[in-house]
Amino acid sequence: TTPSSIFGLLWSYLQAYRFPLYLAIFLKIVSVIMSVLEPVVIGLAITELTKNTLAIMKGVEGAHINVYYVGWVLVVYLLRGLIYELAAYYSNYFMTNAVQKTVQDMRNDLSHKINHIPVSYFDRHQFGDLLGRFTSDVETVSNALQQSFLQIVNAIFTLLFVISMVLYLNIQLGLVVILSIPITYFSAR
């Protein structure tokens, strides 16, 4: 069996739960966006505080810490953190539900298949070996979907959004980041 046929078979099970699956992916993307925005938002407060402090040190008349602006930036930072946490939690929640229901469907199909195996098969093979193999395979699929799938989505979108944000903030720095990715990949191999 090829990887595409395995994924096709797996998708036939996941398809029944595609809404929670897509919702989990969407929420994971939202959490990645909020994570990437963290340094930008906190950078606004640091930039304002630095500018205000320098103006005070230079003795500029009327210079003061812009508490109102910094306060609003911190409120935005808090909201960003709240959205990040909620999106991360619910993406895992919806993914877990979709995977558990998919695994339950797989187990039901395997049970149905075992019930239709001729008795002569069990005369030649131990039932425990067959059951152990089914259980092990289903658990492997469950673990791979539950743990790896959202991590892959997280890694891909984090990389895309970080590169986009760095390019937005500073093109030269963005090009350095883009060029360092393949260098880091090949040196790590």
Side-chain angles (χ1 to χ4, degrees):
T1 55
T2 64
S4 62
S5 66
I6 292 170
F7 184 74
L9 183 61
L10 187 58
W11 180 248
S12 70
Y13 282 98
L14 281 169
Q15 201 169 6
Y17 309 105
R18 64 181 171 266
F19 178 73
L21 180 69
Y22 292 154
L23 189 56
I25 293 169
F26 172 75
L27 290 172
K28 183 52 78 176
I29 292 170
V30 169
S31 75
V32 168
I33 290 170
M34 293 299 120
S35 176
V36 169
L37 286 177
E38 180 179 8
V40 174
V41 173
I42 204 71
L44 294 172
I46 292 171
T47 301
E48 183 67 20
L49 286 170
T50 304
K51 188 171 70 172
N52 294 161
T53 304
L54 289 174
I56 291 170
M57 289 173 58
K58 289 180 182 176
V60 175
E61 190 175 325
H64 66 282
I65 301 293
N66 190 349
V67 177
Y68 181 76
Y69 178 80
V70 173
W72 271 109
V73 169
L74 293 178
V75 167
V76 169
Y77 185 78
L78 177 69
L79 289 174
R80 181 221 53 87
L82 184 64
I83 292 169
Y84 167 79
E85 291 298 332
L86 288 172
Y89 175 80
Y90 282 107
S91 70
N92 289 329
Y93 175 82
F94 287 119
M95 187 66 186
T96 299
N97 282 344
V99 168
Q100 291 305 316
K101 289 176 183 175
T102 299
V103 167
Q104 183 63 41
D105 291 347
M106 291 173 126
R107 285 190 175 125
N108 290 340
D109 286 352
L110 287 172
S111 176
H112 180 73
K113 191 169 194 113
I114 287 174
N115 290 335
H116 286 84
I117 293 176
V119 175
S120 61
Y121 178 86
F122 296 109
D123 290 340
R124 294 186 311 271
H125 301 88
Q126 290 186 6
F127 184 67
D129 290 342
L130 182 66
L131 207 52
R133 188 173 303 145
F134 282 160
T135 302
S136 174
D137 290 350
V138 170
E139 283 304 311
T140 301
V141 169
S142 172
N143 290 337
L145 280 175
Q146 211 160 321
Q147 296 171 2
S148 303
F149 184 74
L150 284 181
Q151 287 178 351
I152 291 169
V153 170
N154 188 31
I156 290 170
F157 282 100
T158 298
L159 189 62
L160 289 174
F161 290 139
V162 165
I163 289 173
S164 301
M165 189 59 68
V166 171
L167 285 172
Y168 173 75
L169 294 173
N170 187 326
I171 299 249
Q172 290 86 5
L173 184 60
L175 293 175
V176 169
V177 169
I178 290 172
L179 290 174
S180 70
I181 291 172
I183 294 169
T184 304
Y185 172 75
F186 288 116
S187 66
R189 283 187 80 193

